[in-house]
Amino acid sequence: MDVRSFQLSDYRAITALLEEVLSAECYEQTIEAFARQLSWDSDLVLVATINNEVAGVIIGTIDNNKGYYYRVAISRSYRRQGVGKSLVLGLKKRFESRKVAKIMISADEHNEPVLPLYESLGYVAGDLFRSFQKLSIIAG
């Protein structure tokens, strides 16, 4: 598995993955935030590939010296293989290299199913950022 920064050639595969695994409402919110984050700082969008196939993506952002995990999506074909963990840890390294004061998890209703992933990596309830604001407002 390779975890790396988003590349323009990933765009179609990432949007197809997001459409496959997210609800319609979540997809609309996420694709808007994805586009904004790419325009701000594409190094905070990480892609996991296995055999040159996109297995997952994580979208993060930094606002007011805090790093936020916004959305993680893993292809159904690659779940339970450590892809999510690798993406979260990869983004954590990016946040740490930028010396953010705190790392938070954007916990909207769409992220509830992946909270056990973050908990398994040591994150606790105090690390959750519960907001109904979209990423474009948080990071704006």
Side-chain angles (χ1 to χ4, degrees), residues 20-38:
E20 170 198 343
V21 302
L22 303 177
S23 69
E25 177 187 4
C26 183
Y27 173 80
E28 292 301 321
Q29 290 176 9
T30 302
I31 206 72
E32 180 181 318
F34 175 52
R36 281 196 171 85
Q37 187 59 40
L38 289 178

Side-chain angles (χ1 to χ4, degrees), residues 3-132:
V3 175
R4 58 170 171 73
S5 295
F6 170 86
Q7 298 170 358
L8 190 55
S9 60
D10 296 323
Y11 187 80
R12 284 185 191 207
I14 296 297
T15 56
L17 169 66
L18 294 173
E19 192 169 25
E20 170 198 343
V21 302
L22 303 177
S23 69
E25 177 187 4
C26 183
Y27 173 80
E28 292 301 321
Q29 290 176 9
T30 302
I31 206 72
E32 180 181 318
F34 175 52
R36 281 196 171 85
Q37 187 59 40
L38 289 178
S39 72
W40 291 328
D41 188 347
S42 63
D43 282 341
L44 297 179
V45 177
L46 298 184
V47 177
T49 60
I50 297 175
N51 299 323
N52 294 319
E53 184 177 336
V54 171
V57 63
I58 191 166
I59 302 168
T61 194
I62 296 175
D63 184 44
N64 292 325
N65 201 31
K66 290 182 184 166
Y68 292 90
Y69 298 112
Y70 174 69
R71 186 81 68 226
V72 61
I74 310 303
S75 168
R76 288 183 178 93
S77 303
Y78 294 106
R79 291 190 180 165
R80 308 244 180 256
Q81 296 181 34
V83 175
K85 179 180 179 179
S86 295
L87 286 166
V88 170
L89 294 175
L91 189 54
K92 180 181 181 186
K93 287 180 185 174
R94 300 272 170 111
F95 288 148
E96 290 171 344
S97 73
R98 294 180 185 204
K99 306 202 182 322
V100 299
K102 182 153 179 69
I103 299 174
M104 305 288 291
I105 301 157
S106 177
D108 60 17
E109 69 274 17
H110 305 296
N111 275 346
E112 294 292 328
V114 296
L115 292 182
L117 166 65
Y118 292 108
E119 290 168 359
S120 75
L121 294 170
Y123 291 94
V124 296
D127 298 322
L128 302 179
F129 176 76
R130 294 193 183 272
S131 174
F132 293 103

